[in-house]
Amino acid sequence: MVQKKSHIETSLIHTDSQPINDFGSLTTPIFQTSTFAFSTAAQGAARFKGEEEGYIYSRLANPTVRVLEDRIAALEGGEKGLAFASGMAAISSVLLALTSSGDHIVCTNGLYGCTYGLLTLLQDKYKVGHSFCAMTSEEELRKQIQPNTTCIFIETPINPTMRAIDLHMAARIAKNYDIPVVVDNTFSTPYLQRPLDCGCEVVVHSATKYIGGHGDVVAGLVVGKSEFIGMLAKTTQKDIGGILSPFDAWLLIRGLKTMHIRMDRHCFNALKVSERLQDHPRVQQVYFPGSARYPDYDIVKQQMSQGGGILSFEVKGNREDAERVLDQLKLIKIAVSLGDAETLIQLPATMTHSTIPPLERERMGISDTLLRLSVGLEHWEDIWKDLNQALLA
Ligand SMILES: *Cc1c(COP(=O)(O)O)cnc(C)c1O
């Protein structure tokens, strides 16, 4: 049994899920089944009515997936969790649940590229509007909230500019308007940042990244109040159907068990690499939340336990110069995604954020020379050596 006040390192490994096997299997079994047999017609009817606990069909719930959902809920300090086939399945399910035609979303001035794509789709097809907001002050945020605003969507640190948003401030304002704050906590994981503790209502994750941690699964998670998660499960999850497979849930349960150790090393390596980059003659600017020289460092200190494993930096010159750096790398892989054991680098302007119109991209602070580095678990000196030779080449 996990004690109520267990440390997070313990909660990553144990949960109070009801035991799901009679054989004492230490690791969670994979329930690779689409359906569950009822012993009688009355039992089937009772399960559908919700009068009896139990499984029906794996799009509605699955025991392996349930273990993961309970674990992420405990880690984020929320009442319930829900697992999805991808981070985007989780985010789209949440935003569809929180809006109707004619509603409006306020979001951070900078978002994951496909979240931006989703907002555009919601606007074009369903007349759900949105406004971008830097959220650097209460006044600024208040100004963007309209009578039809039904939620605030926040990424912090923002991908890929790494600006941080004050979650306590956003939650305080949202309470005044009685609307929820949804936070994409992919970059931080609950080990570094717990948005619900800051007063926010809903947390979403691309579990593809640090939670899986090994670059071998695509998945999404949502955590929030029981009522909200129950509503998602019965509507935008059940009827749209972006559920997680039992095997992928099993990979994530496994990933969580080592997440704290991996995160400590990602953070340490990123700090070391960022310090070297700061003083490099070929580097214009470094954006790393864990650095005291970072403009939002006060916010980071208040709501994150460490600066994370991602940093971005601008190389001197133009886009071709940035691309030349990528092409010179030997150890570091040119790839989108992040949070893997391997160090990954990408050029957001031509890759993850290439579908955002150039002017809009510029407004978000994504220049053509901005590179995003997901610092891996290799020895930091080897990562630095490769980066340095590519910058100097
Ligand atoms: C990757 C990512 C997503 C999308 O997640 P998928 O699992 O790829 O669907 C959303 N938000 C952030 C911050 C991400 O890094």
Side-chain angles (χ1 to χ4, degrees):
M1 273 297 244
V2 189
Q3 282 128 19
K4 260 262 164 306
K5 288 264 176 272
S6 291
H7 291 91
I8 189 160
E9 291 82 351
T10 309
S11 309
L12 283 163
I13 299 166
H14 301 272
T15 353
D16 281 333
S17 302
Q18 65 196 81
I20 57 170
N21 74 91
D22 297 330
F23 301 108
S25 164
L26 179 65
T27 56
T28 307
I30 302 172
F31 280 79
Q32 192 71 23
T33 181
S34 50
T35 197
F36 298 83
F38 310 128
S39 51
T40 62
Q43 185 182 54
R47 294 238 175 121
F48 269 90
K49 268 196 198 148
E51 289 169 359
E52 183 192 295
E53 282 278 320
Y55 295 95
I56 297 173
Y57 183 69
S58 280
R59 180 157 39 75
L60 314 183
N62 172 282
T64 309
V65 178
R66 181 63 59 79
V67 171
L68 171 68
E69 292 170 338
D70 289 350
R71 201 155 296 175
I72 190 66
L75 292 169
E76 288 286 4
E79 290 176 6
K80 269 205 149 115
L82 202 58
F84 289 83
S86 68
M88 286 319 302
I91 293 168
S92 58
S93 186
V94 166
L95 291 183
L96 282 170
L98 289 174
T99 54
S100 301
S101 180
D103 287 346
H104 174 258
I105 301 167
V106 175
C107 53
T108 39
N109 191 16
L111 289 169
Y112 180 71
C114 298
T115 306
Y116 178 88
L118 172 68
L119 289 173
T120 309
L121 179 147
L122 286 173
Q123 184 165 51
D124 293 350
K125 292 193 72 152
Y126 304 110
K127 306 280 175 281
V128 174
H130 60 265
S131 305
F132 294 106
C133 180
M135 302 192 195
T136 49
S137 70
E138 293 195 2
E139 296 67 45
E140 220 175 359
L141 180 51
R142 269 207 199 88
K143 241 194 284 175
Q144 296 302 329
I145 298 175
Q146 302 174 8
N148 58 341
T149 302
T150 53
C151 72
I152 298 173
F153 187 92
I154 292 178
E155 247 179 55
T156 182
I158 297 177
N159 177 22
T161 56
M162 307 311 294
R163 293 304 303 261
I165 306 296
D166 182 343
L167 291 176
H168 291 95
M169 180 278 285
R172 207 161 50 235
I173 301 298
K175 286 227 160 60
N176 291 159
Y177 293 87
D178 201 22
I179 53 175
V181 176
V182 179
V183 180
D184 184 335
N185 205 26
T186 300
F187 273 33
S188 303
T189 80
Y191 183 58
L192 303 185
Q193 171 173 280
R194 304 205 333 157
L196 303 182
D197 290 353
C198 302
C200 302
E201 293 273 320
V202 180
V203 172
V204 294
H205 279 283
S206 169
T208 312
K209 315 294 166 56
Y210 288 112
I211 292 178
H214 294 74
D216 50 15
V217 59
V218 175
L221 295 166
V222 181
V223 179
K225 296 240 162 68
S226 295
E227 196 185 338
F228 177 70
I229 296 296
M231 184 268 282
L232 277 190
K234 286 196 208 107
T235 58
T236 54
Q237 185 177 59
K238 173 174 79 66
D239 298 336
I240 295 177
I243 55 147
L244 190 66
S245 77
F247 179 65
D248 287 348
W250 182 85
L251 281 174
L252 295 176
I253 294 164
R254 188 165 82 145
L256 280 173
K257 290 184 190 183
T258 55
M259 193 178 75
H260 50 309
I261 298 169
R262 289 186 283 107
M263 288 313 287
D264 283 342
R265 182 58 66 91
H266 282 299
C267 292
F268 173 78
N269 283 356
L271 183 64
K272 288 294 196 187
V273 171
S274 78
E275 283 167 355
R276 294 297 175 101
L277 277 174
Q278 299 272 12
D279 304 317
H280 199 283
R282 298 285 305 125
V283 172
Q284 185 73 39
Q285 185 81 37
V286 180
Y287 307 94
F288 178 57
S291 159
R293 288 201 249 171
Y294 170 78
D296 300 330
Y297 192 57
D298 284 343
I299 298 174
V300 169
K301 266 195 308 194
Q302 192 186 309
Q303 67 195 30
M304 290 176 74
S305 60
Q306 299 180 69
I310 319 275
L311 59 89
S312 58
F313 60 100
E314 271 155 341
V315 297
K316 285 186 183 155
N318 54 25
R319 200 185 81 196
E320 286 69 34
D321 293 306
E323 286 178 327
R324 253 193 296 278
V325 173
L326 294 190
D327 290 338
Q328 292 298 329
L329 290 164
K330 296 182 170 69
L331 177 74
I332 299 171
K333 296 288 180 291
I334 309 170
V336 299
S337 199
L338 52 100
D340 294 353
E342 295 84 357
T343 296
L344 307 178
I345 196 164
Q346 63 116 353
L347 178 56
T350 65
M351 298 179 191
T352 51
H353 291 68
S354 58
T355 56
I356 300 173
L359 271 180
E360 189 75 7
R361 216 161 49 217
E362 203 173 302
R363 202 185 47 72
M364 290 176 168
I366 305 169
S367 69
D368 281 356
T369 57
L370 184 76
L371 295 175
R372 188 189 74 190
L373 186 73
S374 169
V375 183
L377 300 176
E378 304 94 339
H379 196 290
W380 73 268
E381 285 173 356
D382 294 329
I383 302 168
W384 172 247
K385 215 164 101 188
D386 193 30
L387 208 48
N388 188 39
Q389 65 79 20
L391 282 164
L392 294 176

